[in-house]
């Protein structure tokens, strides 16, 4: 089983997406919020790249059936009911609803792998369950990180490493089956876990804290608080199992 990590979405080839289990990670905060929305009772989550597309879809499906959520630059999109703080998605607002989300990078990352057969949603909060689900597919694994504005983001790379660390519990990749990027992510995660790498000085993490989203960051970086593993298929995200 080969394991690779794409530090920023958009550079994968269709060939890489074939016969592979893809895990999309945008730990701060899109994939964490999507997982939390399903835990909060949303029927499904529909990601859109464009905020206008989200509004158009909500009008087509019926505003009463939907909740619009998302951000640009970390700030709630004007006219949307929810921003991108995971805990907002535990509210009654999402229960029984279709949640339509549009975020700066995370929904773009999802869109970029829409042709893949097998796409799971990963984050720190479900890292072990996502790893277990991916290992059960017995295919190569490609972790696609959202990054921030086209640049790798250490928070995503650390989370990719956390998932790879957990994959080792359920599968036994042979030496040479982890790409150099996968090994670097795993090392980053182990250093973070040991307290020798401080994520709080990295760009997106520190920007969110400076905006007052410390509680979101804490929520997003608490490992294994849920076993929900969403799957993205035909443009829609639902619980995998
Ligand atoms: C994104 O999609 O870039 C993020 O989820 C941004 C955020 O933290 O809200």
């Amino acid at each position: 089983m080969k394991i690779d990590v794409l530090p920023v979405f958009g550079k994968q080839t269709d060939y890489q997406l074939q016969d592979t289990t893809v895990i999309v990670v945008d730990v701060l905060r899109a994939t964490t919020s999507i997982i939390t929305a399903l835990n909060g009772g949303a029927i499904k989550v529909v990601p859109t790249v464009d905020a206008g597309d989200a509004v158009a879809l909500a009008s087509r499906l019926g505003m009463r059936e939907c909740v619009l959520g998302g951000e640009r630059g970390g700030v709630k999109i004007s006219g949307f009911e929810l921003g991108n703080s995971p805990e907002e998605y535990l509210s009654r607002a999402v229960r029984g609803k279709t949640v339509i989300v549009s975020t700066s990078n995370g929904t773009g990352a999802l869109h970029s792998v829409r042709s893949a057969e097998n796409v799971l949603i990963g984050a720190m909060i479900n890292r072990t369950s996502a790893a277990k689900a991916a290992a059960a597919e017995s295919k190569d694994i490609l972790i696609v990180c959202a990054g921030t504005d086209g640049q790798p983001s250490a928070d995503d790379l650390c989370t990719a490493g956390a998932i790879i660390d957990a994959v080792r519990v359920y599968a036994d990749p042979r030496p040479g089956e982890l790409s150099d990027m996968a090994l670097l992510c795993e090392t980053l995660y182990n250093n973070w876990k040991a307290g020798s790498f401080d994520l709080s000085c990295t760009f997106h993490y520190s920007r969110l804290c400076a905006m007052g989203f410390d509680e979101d960051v804490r929520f997003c970086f608490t490992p294994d608080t849920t076993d929900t593993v969403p799957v993205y298929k035909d443009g829609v995200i639902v619980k995998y199992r």
Side-chain angles (χ1 to χ4, degrees), residues 26 28-30 71 74 84 103-107 147 204 208:
D26 183 5
L28 294 175
R29 300 165 287 172
E71 57 65 48
N84 199 21
T103 69
S104 304
N105 304 280
T107 53
H204 187 48
L208 286 175

mmCIF file of all heavy atoms in Angstrom, residues 26 28-30 71 74 84 103-107 147 204 208, ligand 1:
data_model
loop_
_atom_site.group_PDB
_atom_site.id
_atom_site.type_symbol
_atom_site.label_atom_id
_atom_site.label_comp_id
_atom_site.label_asym_id
_atom_site.label_seq_id
_atom_site.Cartn_x
_atom_site.Cartn_y
_atom_site.Cartn_z
ATOM 1 N N ASP A 26 -8.489 19.610 5.311
ATOM 2 C CA ASP A 26 -8.365 21.057 5.556
ATOM 3 C C ASP A 26 -8.707 21.250 7.029
ATOM 4 O O ASP A 26 -9.813 21.671 7.387
ATOM 5 C CB ASP A 26 -9.309 21.864 4.664
ATOM 6 C CG ASP A 26 -9.123 23.366 4.866
ATOM 7 O OD1 ASP A 26 -8.207 23.759 5.614
ATOM 8 O OD2 ASP A 26 -9.900 24.142 4.287
ATOM 9 N N LEU A 28 -7.917 23.208 9.450
ATOM 10 C CA LEU A 28 -8.354 24.543 9.914
ATOM 11 C C LEU A 28 -9.032 25.251 8.742
ATOM 12 O O LEU A 28 -8.365 25.898 7.948
ATOM 13 C CB LEU A 28 -7.160 25.368 10.393
ATOM 14 C CG LEU A 28 -6.408 24.894 11.636
ATOM 15 C CD1 LEU A 28 -5.185 25.750 11.896
ATOM 16 C CD2 LEU A 28 -7.312 24.917 12.868
ATOM 17 N N ARG A 29 -10.331 25.191 8.598
ATOM 18 C CA ARG A 29 -11.229 24.503 9.470
ATOM 19 C C ARG A 29 -12.261 23.692 8.686
ATOM 20 O O ARG A 29 -13.154 23.081 9.253
ATOM 21 C CB ARG A 29 -11.999 25.536 10.338
ATOM 22 C CG ARG A 29 -11.076 26.400 11.226
ATOM 23 C CD ARG A 29 -11.771 27.620 11.794
ATOM 24 N NE ARG A 29 -11.987 28.622 10.743
ATOM 25 C CZ ARG A 29 -12.698 29.731 10.869
ATOM 26 N NH1 ARG A 29 -13.290 30.018 12.021
ATOM 27 N NH2 ARG A 29 -12.832 30.576 9.872
ATOM 28 N N ALA A 30 -12.171 23.747 7.347
ATOM 29 C CA ALA A 30 -13.284 23.254 6.528
ATOM 30 C C ALA A 30 -13.628 21.782 6.758
ATOM 31 O O ALA A 30 -14.809 21.447 6.960
ATOM 32 C CB ALA A 30 -13.003 23.512 5.052
ATOM 33 N N GLU A 71 -16.779 30.807 4.623
ATOM 34 C CA GLU A 71 -15.972 32.000 4.932
ATOM 35 C C GLU A 71 -15.132 32.420 3.745
ATOM 36 O O GLU A 71 -14.919 31.646 2.822
ATOM 37 C CB GLU A 71 -15.067 31.718 6.132
ATOM 38 C CG GLU A 71 -14.111 30.532 5.990
ATOM 39 C CD GLU A 71 -13.039 30.611 4.955
ATOM 40 O OE1 GLU A 71 -12.357 31.657 4.911
ATOM 41 O OE2 GLU A 71 -12.858 29.655 4.167
ATOM 42 N N GLY A 74 -11.413 33.772 6.474
ATOM 43 C CA GLY A 74 -11.765 33.399 7.842
ATOM 44 C C GLY A 74 -13.075 34.006 8.331
ATOM 45 O O GLY A 74 -13.613 33.596 9.347
ATOM 46 N N ASN A 84 -17.352 29.434 9.560
ATOM 47 C CA ASN A 84 -16.601 28.184 9.407
ATOM 48 C C ASN A 84 -16.069 27.685 10.748
ATOM 49 O O ASN A 84 -15.095 26.952 10.792
ATOM 50 C CB ASN A 84 -15.451 28.397 8.408
ATOM 51 C CG ASN A 84 -14.926 27.084 7.850
ATOM 52 O OD1 ASN A 84 -15.621 26.073 7.882
ATOM 53 N ND2 ASN A 84 -13.696 27.088 7.349
ATOM 54 N N THR A 103 -15.799 27.585 1.105
ATOM 55 C CA THR A 103 -14.689 28.146 1.896
ATOM 56 C C THR A 103 -13.534 28.533 0.973
ATOM 57 O O THR A 103 -13.519 28.189 -0.207
ATOM 58 C CB THR A 103 -14.202 27.138 2.967
ATOM 59 O OG1 THR A 103 -13.556 26.042 2.328
ATOM 60 C CG2 THR A 103 -15.343 26.636 3.834
ATOM 61 N N SER A 104 -12.566 29.220 1.545
ATOM 62 C CA SER A 104 -11.480 29.788 0.733
ATOM 63 C C SER A 104 -10.668 28.724 -0.003
ATOM 64 O O SER A 104 -10.289 28.907 -1.160
ATOM 65 C CB SER A 104 -10.527 30.592 1.608
ATOM 66 O OG SER A 104 -11.220 31.589 2.308
ATOM 67 N N ASN A 105 -10.361 27.630 0.682
ATOM 68 C CA ASN A 105 -9.493 26.601 0.088
ATOM 69 C C ASN A 105 -10.070 25.194 0.166
ATOM 70 O O ASN A 105 -9.898 24.404 -0.764
ATOM 71 C CB ASN A 105 -8.123 26.592 0.805
ATOM 72 C CG ASN A 105 -7.456 27.953 0.782
ATOM 73 O OD1 ASN A 105 -6.859 28.347 -0.211
ATOM 74 N ND2 ASN A 105 -7.576 28.701 1.874
ATOM 75 N N GLY A 106 -10.738 24.897 1.275
ATOM 76 C CA GLY A 106 -11.191 23.517 1.515
ATOM 77 C C GLY A 106 -12.156 23.003 0.465
ATOM 78 O O GLY A 106 -12.027 21.859 -0.006
ATOM 79 N N THR A 107 -13.113 23.825 0.078
ATOM 80 C CA THR A 107 -14.093 23.323 -0.895
ATOM 81 C C THR A 107 -13.458 23.224 -2.291
ATOM 82 O O THR A 107 -13.847 22.377 -3.095
ATOM 83 C CB THR A 107 -15.382 24.171 -0.895
ATOM 84 O OG1 THR A 107 -15.057 25.554 -1.083
ATOM 85 C CG2 THR A 107 -16.140 24.023 0.398
ATOM 86 N N GLY A 147 -4.170 23.338 1.977
ATOM 87 C CA GLY A 147 -3.205 24.436 2.015
ATOM 88 C C GLY A 147 -3.920 25.773 2.185
ATOM 89 O O GLY A 147 -5.138 25.836 2.425
ATOM 90 N N HIS A 204 -1.453 30.096 8.999
ATOM 91 C CA HIS A 204 -2.918 30.072 9.114
ATOM 92 C C HIS A 204 -3.383 29.898 10.557
ATOM 93 O O HIS A 204 -4.350 30.519 11.002
ATOM 94 C CB HIS A 204 -3.494 28.977 8.206
ATOM 95 C CG HIS A 204 -4.984 28.985 8.136
ATOM 96 N ND1 HIS A 204 -5.722 30.137 7.912
ATOM 97 C CD2 HIS A 204 -5.900 27.989 8.271
ATOM 98 C CE1 HIS A 204 -7.009 29.847 7.923
ATOM 99 N NE2 HIS A 204 -7.147 28.557 8.139
ATOM 100 N N LEU A 208 -5.693 32.624 12.532
ATOM 101 C CA LEU A 208 -6.995 32.333 13.154
ATOM 102 C C LEU A 208 -7.006 32.753 14.625
ATOM 103 O O LEU A 208 -7.988 33.320 15.105
ATOM 104 C CB LEU A 208 -7.334 30.841 13.017
ATOM 105 C CG LEU A 208 -7.760 30.368 11.628
ATOM 106 C CD1 LEU A 208 -7.943 28.851 11.607
ATOM 107 C CD2 LEU A 208 -9.049 31.044 11.159
HETATM 108 C C1 LIG B 1 -10.353 27.273 4.041
HETATM 109 O O1 LIG B 1 -11.165 26.643 3.333
HETATM 110 O O2 LIG B 1 -9.399 27.918 3.575
HETATM 111 C C2 LIG B 1 -10.399 27.264 5.550
HETATM 112 O O3 LIG B 1 -11.271 26.364 6.026
HETATM 113 C C3 LIG B 1 -10.324 28.645 6.111
HETATM 114 C C4 LIG B 1 -10.824 28.823 7.524
HETATM 115 O O4 LIG B 1 -10.102 28.556 8.477
HETATM 116 O O5 LIG B 1 -11.954 29.233 7.714
#
